[in-house]
Amino acid sequence: MSRMKPTRSLMLVVCPMLVLGFLFYSSGRLKLRTWGQKSQSEVDSLFSAGRYLASVYDKQGFLHKLDGKLPVELMYKYGNLSRGACKPDFAAAKMTSIYPKFVKPAPMFLDLNFRRLSKISNYLPPFGFKTQENIIESLLIVTKSYGLGPELDSLSCKKCIIIGNGGILFNKSLGSRIDEYDVVVRLNEAPVRGFEKDVGSKTTMRITYPEGAIQNPELYEKSSLFVLSAFKPLDFKWLRHVILKEKLRGTEGFWKSVARYVPREPSDMRILNPYFIQEAAFKFIGLPHNNGLMGKGNIPTLGTVAITMALHNCDEVAVAGFGYDMNTPHAPLHYYEKVRMSAIKESWTHNISKEKEFLRKLVKAGVIEDLTNGIADQQPNKQ
Ligand SMILES: *[C@@H]1O[C@H](CO)[C@@H](O)[C@H](O)[C@H]1NC(C)=O
Ligand SMILES: *[C@@H]1O[C@H](CO)[C@@H](O)[C@H](O)[C@H]1NC(C)=O
Ligand SMILES: *[C@@H]1O[C@H](CO)[C@@H](O)[C@H](O)[C@H]1NC(C)=O
């Protein structure tokens, strides 16, 4: 047997000591971490993560830095498609990339299962259906139809356009471009006949509230879905009169005169999912919650409600006729009447400037396309 070298015997003593020392040291650290408060460095890193998130996302949850570039994963998905081809799920994917809280599924219209929609069951109109369940059910039993129709419902990719009523549409000859969309959404009494060159001739649906509905039955287009966006309980009663072709007795409770007859069969009438009003107001725009009740400046305009609906239900979303061209202050307020821009008044219910901030984010990030360029900041000297 050879004798151990002195260095080797020293190693035999030192190594176990190192191991024991290490175990002792790390168990102490472990105790500190589990029993003690969070260490200062951990607290610091949590704070800086919070600061980081706050610097990346704004108060509503949208990315601060917006540009029209496609995130890499979307480039991979869509970069390959030929120009002009419908990009499946594009608007929702782009929306999620700037607003990670976005959850796409939300039906366009109420159907007989509407009571299951938990997000709107605890809100009164206009943000939900609470207290209106029975009348809504009775209306839906009569309309019997709850989709866009077999042809559109079966499309695997839909391009939608929301036509605002702004004078910015006037004399831009966008009609034929608008008619190329699968779904053309018009709002309230915006006319088509006589304006086809600028606003197109196709109308898939007309979203209205009673005070905004076309009053002269002859001015309705031949066929389109008549979609009620209800802002108050009385609006459902109005739809019941219209559907059952009953004469409307009093009109107290409406803020202006309302249509008494709508030339549509019940099967062409729909009720817009009130979730879009709720989501636009409280999540996207950040209007005052007011305990979930209608209050000063917390109702989104119908145009923004329609855009919100499209983000959930269309693959691509475009708009035209929104905003104002500040370079032409004498443009008409609406494309179909002679009121000038100076007549704009901020109403009690809407907050136009906050709403425009939201729409600007969508345009800047390329979530929606604005054919008339009225939403993004007008840059002077830029054509
Ligand atoms: C995308 O590109 C790949 C490879 O270049 C090709 O095989 C595929 O067919 C393309 N897809 C589309 C939708 O163009
Ligand atoms: C409409 O635009 C055309 C040119 O595109 C112009 O010649 C015409 O004067 C415009 N009409 C009005 C009423 O502004
Ligand atoms: C719109 O929102 C801004 C910012 O929150 C607020 O200062 C303003 O008073 C609001 N306007 C209306 C009409 O509620």
Coordinates of all heavy atoms in Angstrom, one line a residue, residues 108-146:
M108 N -72.0 39.4 -33.0 CA -72.5 40.6 -33.6 C -73.9 41.0 -33.1 O -74.1 42.1 -32.6 CB -72.6 40.4 -35.1 CG -72.3 41.6 -36.0 SD -72.4 41.1 -37.7 CE -70.7 41.3 -38.2
F109 N -74.8 40.0 -33.1 CA -76.2 40.3 -32.8 C -76.6 39.4 -31.6 O -76.0 38.3 -31.4 CB -77.1 40.0 -34.0 CG -76.7 40.7 -35.2 CD1 -76.5 40.0 -36.4 CD2 -76.4 42.1 -35.3 CE1 -76.1 40.6 -37.6 CE2 -76.0 42.7 -36.4 CZ -75.8 42.0 -37.6
L110 N -77.6 39.8 -30.9 CA -78.2 38.9 -29.9 C -79.0 37.8 -30.5 O -79.7 38.0 -31.5 CB -79.1 39.7 -28.9 CG -78.4 40.8 -28.1 CD1 -79.4 41.4 -27.1 CD2 -77.2 40.3 -27.4
D111 N -78.8 36.6 -29.9 CA -79.7 35.5 -30.4 C -80.4 34.9 -29.1 O -80.2 35.5 -28.0 CB -78.9 34.4 -31.1 CG -77.9 33.8 -30.3 OD1 -78.0 33.7 -29.0 OD2 -76.8 33.3 -30.8
L112 N -81.2 33.9 -29.3 CA -82.0 33.4 -28.1 C -81.2 32.9 -26.9 O -81.7 32.7 -25.8 CB -83.0 32.3 -28.6 CG -84.2 33.0 -29.3 CD1 -85.0 31.9 -30.0 CD2 -85.1 33.7 -28.3
N113 N -79.9 32.7 -27.1 CA -79.0 32.4 -26.0 C -78.4 33.6 -25.3 O -77.4 33.5 -24.6 CB -77.9 31.5 -26.5 CG -78.4 30.1 -26.8 OD1 -79.2 29.6 -26.1 ND2 -77.9 29.5 -27.9
F114 N -78.9 34.8 -25.6 CA -78.2 36.0 -25.1 C -78.0 36.0 -23.6 O -77.1 36.7 -23.1 CB -79.0 37.2 -25.6 CG -80.3 37.5 -24.9 CD1 -80.4 38.3 -23.8 CD2 -81.4 36.8 -25.3 CE1 -81.6 38.5 -23.2 CE2 -82.6 37.0 -24.7 CZ -82.7 37.9 -23.6
R115 N -78.9 35.3 -22.9 CA -78.7 35.4 -21.4 C -77.4 34.8 -20.9 O -77.0 35.1 -19.8 CB -79.9 34.7 -20.7 CG -81.2 35.4 -20.7 CD -82.2 34.7 -19.8 NE -83.4 35.5 -19.7 CZ -84.5 35.4 -20.5 NH1 -84.5 34.6 -21.5 NH2 -85.6 36.2 -20.3
R116 N -76.8 34.0 -21.8 CA -75.5 33.4 -21.4 C -74.3 34.4 -21.5 O -73.2 34.1 -21.0 CB -75.2 32.3 -22.3 CG -75.9 31.0 -22.0 CD -75.2 29.8 -22.7 NE -76.2 29.0 -23.3 CZ -76.0 28.3 -24.4 NH1 -74.8 28.3 -25.0 NH2 -76.9 27.5 -24.8
L117 N -74.6 35.6 -22.1 CA -73.5 36.5 -22.3 C -73.2 37.3 -21.0 O -73.9 38.3 -20.7 CB -73.8 37.5 -23.5 CG -74.0 36.8 -24.8 CD1 -74.6 37.8 -25.8 CD2 -72.8 36.2 -25.3
S118 N -72.3 36.7 -20.2 CA -72.2 37.2 -18.8 C -71.7 38.7 -18.7 O -72.0 39.4 -17.8 CB -71.3 36.3 -18.0 OG -70.1 36.2 -18.6
K119 N -71.0 39.1 -19.7 CA -70.4 40.5 -19.6 C -71.5 41.5 -19.7 O -71.2 42.7 -19.3 CB -69.4 40.7 -20.7 CG -68.1 40.0 -20.5 CD -67.2 40.1 -21.7 CE -65.9 39.3 -21.5 NZ -65.3 38.9 -22.8
I120 N -72.6 41.2 -20.3 CA -73.6 42.2 -20.4 C -74.9 42.0 -19.6 O -75.8 42.8 -19.5 CB -74.1 42.4 -21.9 CG1 -74.4 41.0 -22.5 CG2 -73.0 43.1 -22.7 CD1 -75.0 41.1 -23.9
S121 N -74.9 40.9 -18.8 CA -76.1 40.5 -18.1 C -76.2 41.4 -16.8 O -77.3 41.5 -16.3 CB -76.1 39.1 -17.7 OG -74.9 38.7 -16.9
N122 N -75.1 42.0 -16.3 CA -75.2 42.8 -15.1 C -75.2 44.3 -15.4 O -75.1 45.1 -14.4 CB -74.1 42.4 -14.2 CG -74.4 41.1 -13.5 OD1 -75.5 40.8 -13.2 ND2 -73.3 40.2 -13.4
Y123 N -75.3 44.7 -16.6 CA -75.4 46.1 -16.9 C -76.7 46.5 -17.5 O -77.3 45.7 -18.3 CB -74.3 46.5 -18.0 CG -72.9 46.6 -17.4 CD1 -72.1 45.5 -17.4 CD2 -72.4 47.9 -17.1 CE1 -70.8 45.7 -16.9 CE2 -71.1 48.0 -16.6 CZ -70.3 46.9 -16.5 OH -69.0 47.1 -16.1
L124 N -77.2 47.6 -17.1 CA -78.5 48.2 -17.7 C -78.1 48.7 -19.1 O -76.9 49.0 -19.3 CB -79.0 49.3 -16.8 CG -79.5 48.9 -15.4 CD1 -79.6 50.1 -14.5 CD2 -80.8 48.1 -15.5
P125 N -79.1 48.9 -19.9 CA -78.8 49.6 -21.2 C -78.2 51.0 -20.9 O -78.6 51.6 -19.9 CB -80.2 49.8 -21.9 CG -81.1 48.7 -21.2 CD -80.5 48.5 -19.8
P126 N -77.3 51.5 -21.7 CA -76.9 50.9 -23.0 C -75.8 49.9 -22.9 O -75.4 49.4 -23.9 CB -76.4 52.1 -23.8 CG -75.8 53.0 -22.8 CD -76.7 52.8 -21.5
F127 N -75.3 49.6 -21.7 CA -74.1 48.8 -21.6 C -74.4 47.3 -21.5 O -73.5 46.5 -21.4 CB -73.2 49.3 -20.4 CG -72.9 50.7 -20.5 CD1 -73.4 51.6 -19.6 CD2 -72.1 51.2 -21.5 CE1 -73.1 53.0 -19.6 CE2 -71.8 52.6 -21.6 CZ -72.3 53.5 -20.6
G128 N -75.6 46.9 -21.3 CA -76.0 45.5 -21.2 C -77.5 45.4 -21.3 O -78.2 46.3 -21.8
F129 N -78.1 44.2 -20.9 CA -79.5 44.0 -21.2 C -80.3 43.8 -19.9 O -81.5 43.5 -19.9 CB -79.7 42.8 -22.1 CG -79.1 41.5 -21.6 CD1 -79.8 40.8 -20.5 CD2 -78.0 40.9 -22.1 CE1 -79.3 39.6 -20.0 CE2 -77.5 39.7 -21.6 CZ -78.1 39.1 -20.5
K130 N -79.7 44.0 -18.8 CA -80.4 43.8 -17.5 C -81.7 44.6 -17.4 O -81.8 45.7 -17.9 CB -79.5 44.3 -16.3 CG -79.8 43.9 -15.0 CD -78.8 44.3 -14.0 CE -79.2 44.1 -12.6 NZ -78.2 44.6 -11.6
T131 N -82.7 44.0 -16.9 CA -84.1 44.4 -16.9 C -84.9 44.3 -18.2 O -86.1 44.6 -18.3 CB -84.3 45.9 -16.4 OG1 -83.8 46.8 -17.4 CG2 -83.6 46.1 -15.1
Q132 N -84.2 44.0 -19.3 CA -84.8 44.0 -20.6 C -85.0 42.6 -21.2 O -85.3 42.4 -22.3 CB -84.1 44.9 -21.6 CG -83.9 46.3 -21.2 CD -85.3 47.0 -21.0 OE1 -86.1 47.0 -21.9 NE2 -85.6 47.5 -19.8
E133 N -84.7 41.6 -20.3 CA -84.6 40.2 -20.8 C -85.9 39.8 -21.5 O -85.8 39.2 -22.6 CB -84.3 39.2 -19.7 CG -82.9 39.4 -19.1 CD -82.8 40.4 -18.0 OE1 -83.8 41.2 -17.8 OE2 -81.8 40.5 -17.3
N134 N -87.0 40.1 -20.9 CA -88.3 39.5 -21.5 C -88.6 40.1 -22.8 O -89.0 39.4 -23.8 CB -89.4 39.7 -20.5 CG -89.2 38.8 -19.2 OD1 -88.4 37.8 -19.3 ND2 -89.8 39.2 -18.1
I135 N -88.5 41.5 -22.9 CA -88.8 42.1 -24.2 C -87.9 41.7 -25.3 O -88.3 41.4 -26.4 CB -89.0 43.6 -24.1 CG1 -89.5 44.2 -25.4 CG2 -87.7 44.3 -23.7 CD1 -90.0 45.6 -25.3
I136 N -86.6 41.5 -24.9 CA -85.6 41.1 -25.9 C -85.9 39.7 -26.4 O -85.9 39.4 -27.6 CB -84.2 41.2 -25.4 CG1 -83.7 42.6 -25.1 CG2 -83.2 40.5 -26.3 CD1 -82.4 42.8 -24.4
E137 N -86.2 38.8 -25.5 CA -86.6 37.5 -25.9 C -87.8 37.5 -26.8 O -87.8 36.8 -27.8 CB -86.8 36.6 -24.7 CG -87.2 35.2 -25.0 CD -87.1 34.2 -23.8 OE1 -87.3 34.7 -22.7 OE2 -86.9 33.0 -24.0
S138 N -88.8 38.3 -26.5 CA -90.0 38.2 -27.3 C -89.7 38.8 -28.7 O -90.3 38.3 -29.7 CB -91.1 39.0 -26.6 OG -90.8 40.4 -26.6
L139 N -88.8 39.8 -28.8 CA -88.4 40.3 -30.1 C -87.7 39.2 -30.9 O -87.9 39.0 -32.1 CB -87.5 41.5 -30.0 CG -88.3 42.8 -29.4 CD1 -87.2 43.9 -29.0 CD2 -89.3 43.3 -30.4
L140 N -86.7 38.5 -30.3 CA -85.9 37.6 -31.0 C -86.7 36.4 -31.4 O -86.4 35.8 -32.5 CB -84.7 37.1 -30.1 CG -83.7 38.2 -29.7 CD1 -82.7 37.7 -28.8 CD2 -83.0 38.7 -31.0
I141 N -87.8 36.1 -30.7 CA -88.6 35.0 -31.1 C -89.3 35.3 -32.4 O -89.5 34.5 -33.3 CB -89.7 34.6 -30.0 CG1 -89.0 33.9 -28.9 CG2 -90.8 33.8 -30.6 CD1 -89.8 33.7 -27.6
V142 N -89.6 36.6 -32.6 CA -90.3 37.0 -33.9 C -89.3 37.2 -35.0 O -89.6 36.8 -36.1 CB -91.0 38.3 -33.6 CG1 -91.8 38.8 -34.9 CG2 -92.0 38.2 -32.5
T143 N -88.1 37.7 -34.8 CA -87.2 37.9 -35.9 C -86.6 36.6 -36.4 O -86.3 36.5 -37.6 CB -86.0 38.9 -35.5 OG1 -85.2 38.2 -34.5 CG2 -86.5 40.2 -34.9
K144 N -86.4 35.7 -35.5 CA -86.0 34.3 -35.9 C -84.6 34.2 -36.5 O -84.1 33.1 -36.7 CB -87.0 33.6 -36.9 CG -88.3 33.3 -36.3 CD -89.1 32.4 -37.2 CE -90.5 32.1 -36.7 NZ -91.4 33.2 -36.8
S145 N -84.0 35.3 -37.0 CA -82.7 35.2 -37.6 C -81.7 36.0 -36.8 O -82.0 37.1 -36.3 CB -82.8 35.8 -39.0 OG -84.0 35.4 -39.6
Y146 N -80.5 35.5 -36.7 CA -79.5 36.1 -35.8 C -78.1 36.3 -36.5 O -77.2 36.6 -35.7 CB -79.4 35.3 -34.5 CG -80.8 34.9 -34.0 CD1 -81.2 33.6 -34.1 CD2 -81.7 35.8 -33.5 CE1 -82.4 33.2 -33.7 CE2 -82.9 35.4 -33.1 CZ -83.3 34.1 -33.2 OH -84.6 33.7 -32.8

